[in-house]
DNA sequence: CGATTTTGTGCAATCGATTGCAGCGATCTT
DNA sequence: AAGATCGCTGCAATCGATTGCACAAAATCG
């Protein structure tokens, strides 16, 4: 009855109990090296380990091997519905390869971001996934300088110094504008996202390109929202409505689109009767809002999975070329868009 | 120019460069032990470390100290909007205490849950936060047996063998039913959550209690949904509508409530004109659905923060009594409830 | 049957930081 | 002035697993 505070068995204890050397026990317990040990001996060791309730110490193993099987995941806001699916995709792909996620939630403050990444490095993460990239991201620079394999997800840089998994934001916005044009809209405004993010900039580019391609009026009818939030969307949408004579708004993001719903209502207009609105992302629940939001669907889950896979490849074979995976967005027609009156 | 693959400096290197012993460098670099070192020497060491770009190896430190400053966080589904805020609360509270989150997303399979927790233990987490607890949870049992400080969040067990942070689910549902009764509803149904979860069971209890307190009809007018999803909600709500003659439905969860919207529409009824519906959680966006959902608000962010704080306390002072924090839910009136016709 | 290869196990160094203990010189006490 | 105290630094053990190398025993070959 002296096991009140039982000291957990280590490899030495297992080896002693099985009557072999530490090193033999280590080999027997590791599937990758098990073939070096005689079958019966390995069996005995494994059984002894089980009986003693032996649990491998990943920390000690990491110290010796230099690999932590840990990946740092940096997101701008876990509470934002689009990052949930991304995170889940990352987590599941990593878990099935024996890696775990170290989660870091960061604000927009760059110094803070640096501090957090630094802390992840101290923990000797084998790699990093950043969902926070700006168009020219100093944090990414720091990761690369440190020689840590890094992958961007959702947002990317312009230059390709790191692997990235993104949606084709430009094409997505073109899809949105074409849809509006096909309904008969000729005067379309763009509720743009923050221009220092690739999503914001590329979707705006897509907007301009689509307007030109289709020979529509005023490729400059866009306003940049201060952030990807409903509140910022409402403010910017109000400005679009007051400054431009448009019948439709293509928003860079679903939250912005929902903000636009408010601005439209505030002016006594109705969607889609007076103003059509199309979003971007197809977040959970936007099919239930009123009117159900027409939007551009992005598979965030798959993006997360692909990012994890890319990172794992980068970890296995260091020095491999950066790769870019671009997923195809898709138009989801609901009820927030209709022909102009 | 031989620093192509520069070997990162360790403590020894810093000590050598500063002309002191490893141990002195260690003490100087650690704020908690810095006072043991002469001011000028400490300054020199810190400066040398900075110049060399020294980065402390948390793995090695963990091995020596036995503390990893890592907390395992187990959630049932990161993509579910309620867990985002919880996670953010946990992360921010932990981060400000120097701890990081190891994220594990698990399904309902118990063996898989055990495997994942086992893996977290191998990584020598200092504590665990489970958002997955069932009413009698074997996984929690395993954590407790292993002597790992563990805190439950959002869902709890009946017996108090571990600290927990939950909403007052019973009171929340009473709030919902009273609200309906105050509008004049007398025949109310309950769209219950899974009964093996504390949230599902307690909210149902609250429903029964409220019906009795208010002297209303049929405390048995409830159906259990198979899961907290819109689909399961739609199925169960359809059954309620076909089996009971009710004018209102109190749902155990917002997603279930949204499923009920569908079921109501499918029967050619309207909400709230024909059937009032109240949800639970106040998830993001439920204020934008049609009709805007009347629901019970729970501060998931704060729950996450409190859980982290409780865990930190448990880590600091092992063997302390389990504690339970119950947050007060609040009714949010929107447009899905109205007087019966 | 001797020589050679194969197979299996043990030995000991190693990863990098932390910390109890001892020792040294300087200051303080009586 | 001898002894006690204090502040600072160095020494060396330690955490637990992994792995290159050496070596012995067994198996194979000519």
């Amino acid at each position: 009855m002296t096991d009140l505070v039982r000291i957990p068995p280590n490899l030495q204890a297992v080896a002693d109990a099985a009557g072999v050397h530490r090193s033999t026990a280590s080999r027997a317990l590791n599937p990758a090296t098990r073939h070096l040990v005689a079958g019966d001996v390995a069996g005995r060791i494994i059984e002894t380990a089980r009986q003693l309730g032996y649990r491998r110490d990943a920390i000690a193993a990491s110290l010796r091997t230099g690999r932590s099987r840990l990946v740092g995941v940096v997101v701008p806001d876990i509470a934002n519905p689009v990052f949930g699916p991304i995170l889940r995709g990352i987590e599941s792909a990593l878990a099935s390869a024996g890696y775990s996620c170290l989660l870091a939630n960061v604000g927009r403050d760059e110094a803070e971001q640096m501090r957090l990444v630094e802390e992840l490095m101290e923990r000797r993460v084998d790699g990093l996934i950043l969902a926070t990239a700006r168009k020219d991201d100093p944090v990414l620079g720091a990761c690369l300088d440190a020689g840590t394999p890094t992958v961007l997800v959702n947002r990317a840089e312009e230059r390709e110094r790191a692997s990235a998994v993104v949606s084709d934001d430009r094409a997505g916005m073109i899809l949105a504008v074409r849809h509006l044009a096909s309904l008969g809209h000729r005067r379309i405004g763009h509720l743009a996202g923050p221009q220092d993010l690739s999503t914001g900039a590329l979707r705006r580019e897509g907007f301009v390109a689509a307007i030109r391609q289709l020979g529509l009026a005023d490729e400059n009818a866009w306003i940049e929202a201060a952030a990807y939030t409903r509140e910022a969307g409402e403010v910017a949408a109000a400005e679009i409505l007051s400054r431009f004579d448009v019948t439709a708004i293509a928003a860079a993001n679903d939250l912005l689109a929902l903000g636009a719903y408010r601005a439209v209502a505030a002016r006594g207009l109705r969607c889609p009767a007076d103003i059509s609105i199309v979003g971007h992302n197809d977040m959970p629940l936007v099919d239930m809002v009123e009117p159900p939001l027409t939007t551009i669907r992005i598979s965030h889950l798959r993006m997360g999975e692909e990012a994890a896979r890319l990172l794992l490849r980068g970890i296995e074979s260091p020095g491999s070329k950066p790769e870019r995976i671009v997923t195809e967005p898709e138009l989801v027609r609901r009820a927030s868009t209709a022909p102009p009156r």
Side-chain angles (χ1 to χ4, degrees), chain A:
Chain A
M1 285 314 233
T2 51
D3 53 356
L4 282 174
V5 189
R6 179 157 25 180
I7 167 171
N10 58 16
L11 194 53
Q12 184 68 256
V14 175
D16 290 350
V20 297
H21 192 265
R22 267 205 323 287
S23 61
T24 306
S26 170
R27 286 187 265 255
L29 259 16
N30 182 346
T33 51
R34 188 166 301 157
H35 65 277
L36 296 170
V37 178
D40 54 336
V41 179
R44 194 173 73 233
I45 293 172
I46 293 174
E47 176 56 19
T48 319
R50 206 188 52 68
Q51 279 177 9
L52 293 181
Y54 170 71
R55 187 180 288 142
R56 179 170 172 280
D57 188 319
I59 300 256
S62 289
L63 178 61
R64 172 62 226 245
T65 61
R67 273 160 290 122
S68 63
R69 283 166 41 245
L70 236 41
V71 167
V73 181
V74 184
V75 297
D77 181 9
I78 326 175
N80 182 324
V82 308
F83 292 107
I86 292 181
L87 217 50
R88 196 170 106 189
I90 292 174
E91 202 272 349
S92 72
L94 287 183
S96 58
Y99 283 75
S100 298
C101 287
L102 258 180
L103 186 62
N105 188 63
V106 301
R108 285 192 69 95
D109 180 43
E110 189 184 308
E112 188 213 347
Q113 291 190 9
M114 284 289 194
R115 236 183 4 82
L116 263 148
V117 168
E118 183 63 26
E119 217 178 288
L120 291 174
M121 305 263 221
E122 280 194 357
R123 293 194 185 273
R124 294 279 127 93
V125 293
D126 291 341
L128 284 165
I129 298 182
L130 306 181
T132 51
R134 302 220 309 269
K135 272 201 305 184
D136 183 65
D137 201 319
V139 178
L140 175 60
C143 300
L144 260 25
D145 286 350
T148 308
T150 306
V151 170
L152 306 178
V153 68
N154 196 37
R155 305 170 180 175
E157 286 196 323
E158 277 173 70
R159 42 180 179 162
E160 294 207 21
R161 46 178 184 161
S163 289
V165 181
V166 289
S167 172
D168 192 338
D169 291 308
R170 213 165 165 284
M173 186 50 66
I174 294 178
L175 232 45
V177 174
R178 295 207 152 187
H179 165 64
L180 292 171
S182 76
L183 290 171
H185 292 277
R186 291 292 168 264
R187 301 187 312 277
I188 302 173
H190 175 48
L191 176 42
Q195 294 297 300
D196 60 335
L197 302 180
S198 65
T199 51
L202 289 172
R203 288 171 194 172
R204 179 185 52 76
E205 274 184 40
F207 169 78
V208 172
I211 295 290
R212 282 197 200 147
Q213 278 173 22
L214 300 165
L216 301 181
D218 206 352
E219 63 187 43
N220 296 316
W222 60 273
I223 298 287
E224 175 181 356
Y228 278 131
T229 63
R230 273 154 71 174
E231 292 71 25
E234 182 172 356
V235 171
E239 195 170 339
I240 291 179
L241 294 173
S242 70
R243 287 192 23 201
F244 306 104
D245 175 30
V246 298
T247 61
I249 292 180
N253 166 293
D254 289 340
L255 289 172
L256 295 180
L258 296 180
Y261 276 25
R262 288 250 167 94
V264 166
R267 276 179 89 88
L269 300 173
R270 288 178 318 148
C271 170
D274 305 305
I275 300 276
S276 284
I277 295 178
V278 42
H280 213 115
N281 276 352
D282 195 26
M283 281 185 355
L285 299 195
V286 293
D287 58 322
M288 297 283 297
V289 301
E290 178 57 29
L293 184 66
T294 295
T295 188
I296 303 297
R297 174 175 297 166
I298 294 175
S299 176
H300 291 105
L301 186 74
R302 212 167 71 72
M303 278 180 30
E305 290 170 352
E306 294 289 355
R309 262 194 277 280
L310 227 45
L311 181 65
L312 290 174
R313 217 174 307 156
I315 290 174
E316 302 295 321
S317 45
S320 54
K321 285 260 164 297
E323 206 171 320
R324 179 168 298 227
I325 295 183
V326 178
T327 66
E328 275 315 299
E330 172 193 359
L331 175 72
V332 180
R333 282 162 219 243
R334 297 208 182 92
S336 64
T337 50
R341 283 192 305 186

